[in-house]
Structures are given as C-alpha cells and as structure tokens.
C-alpha cells in the first residue's frame, strides 16, 4: 500500500491504493469515468453524451459498491453499516442527478462531474482506506489477500472461491 496519483487522462486523484487488485481496479474505473466526462465537457460535447454516461455510471457505481459491501460482509467489517450508509448516500445523489437530467435541469454535466470528483476525493482516501487497512490486516480475510475472492458471490471464509489477484502476491 502507498500513496499514488492515478491519472486516466485529464483527471487525476491522489489516493492510497488498497493493495487489493479488484478494489483498486474499480477505483481506477471511476477515475476513467471522471476523465471521460471531463473530456466531453472540455470539448463541449457533454450534453450529447450525458444520458448514456449517467446510465453507465449508475450501473458501474452500483456494481462496485455492491462488491465492496459483499467483501465487508464476508470479512465481518465492524463499520459495515456506516460505510454502507455512505454508499446509499452516493446512490441517492446519483439518482437525484439522473432525475434532474430527466427533468431538463442544467448544468447537469458539471453537477455530475462534481459528484464523481467529490466521491473520489473524499470516500476513497477516508472510508475505503479504512476498510482496506482492516481487510489487509484481518486474518479471516486471508482468502482475499491470496486472490481467492470472486466478485458477485457471497460465501463464507471457509469456502475456496477463486478470482482476482492481489498486488504484490
């Protein structure tokens, strides 16, 4: 684990990597979304792509948050309720943005960019960092560090799932 600036183009964020490939990959995917929207805004093309962008962002964000929550459940993360509450707040904010877009509110691209940027700069380095520290130090989460996590399934730590690798393994 360490501090790293990840840049996907025009947008970058400094964050502490989790040290767990599939979680870090999800964070980089959100950075790519932020960059995609930023490029469209700079090019003056955001209004033509925002509907599709919001739909894809909603699916991606929900998948990523659900994956985190599954790992929290399996690893008996003590702050699951609090962390999940912040996930629900993000989902609600995105739904509000989608509703505003459908109602014709402007400037929805800027508001969406602000939401993604704020999420990346606040949730990742604080709450996700705390979760990653817990997870990497949790003996019962050994299966995650050894690359035995399979996204999309909830199972007990005694099971032998296969899946993503871990940085430095």
């Amino acid at each position: 684990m360490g501090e790293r600036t990840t840049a996907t183009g025009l947008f970058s964020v400094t964050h502490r990597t989790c040290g767990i490939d599939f979680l870090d990959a999800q964070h980089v995917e959100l950075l790519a979304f932020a960059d995609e929207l930023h490029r469209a805004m700079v090019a003056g093309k955001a209004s033509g792509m925002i509907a599709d962008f919001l739909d894809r962002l909603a699916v991606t964000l929900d998948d990523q948050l659900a994956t985190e929550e599954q790992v929290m459940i399996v690893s008996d993360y003590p702050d699951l309720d609090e962390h999940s509450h912040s996930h629900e707040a993000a989902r609600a904010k995105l739904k509000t943005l989608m509703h505003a877009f459908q109602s014709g509110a402007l400037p929805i691209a800027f508001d969406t960019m602000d939401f993604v940027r704020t999420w990346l700069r606040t949730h990742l380095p604080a709450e996700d960092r705390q979760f990653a520290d817990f997870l990497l130090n949790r003996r019962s989460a050994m299966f995650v560090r050894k690359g035995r996590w399979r996204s999309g399934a909830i199972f007990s730590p005694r099971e032998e799932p296969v899946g993503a690798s871990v940085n430095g393994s």
Side-chain angles (χ1 to χ4, degrees), residues 12 32 39 42 62 71 75 84 94 111 116 139 142 148 165:
S12 67
R39 281 188 316 235
V42 168
D62 193 56
V71 176
S75 64
S84 293
L94 186 53
D111 292 342
V116 175
R139 190 174 190 313
M142 216 41 184
R148 294 186 181 141
S165 66

Side-chain angles (χ1 to χ4, degrees), residues 19-26 67 71 135-136 141-152 155 160-169:
I20 301 169
D21 284 347
F22 70 91
L23 292 176
D24 285 339
Q26 289 180 338
T67 297
V71 176
L135 191 60
L136 290 169
M142 216 41 184
F143 69 99
V144 174
R145 290 199 302 272
K146 291 183 177 181
R148 294 186 181 141
W149 164 254
R150 179 172 44 94
S151 181
F155 46 82
E160 291 291 325
V162 294
S165 66
V166 176
N167 291 334
S169 292

Side-chain angles (χ1 to χ4, degrees), residues 118-131:
T118 300
W119 179 256
L120 290 169
R121 290 192 173 150
T122 58
H123 183 78
L124 271 70
E127 294 177 65
D128 279 358
R129 177 179 173 174
Q130 181 181 356
F131 170 56

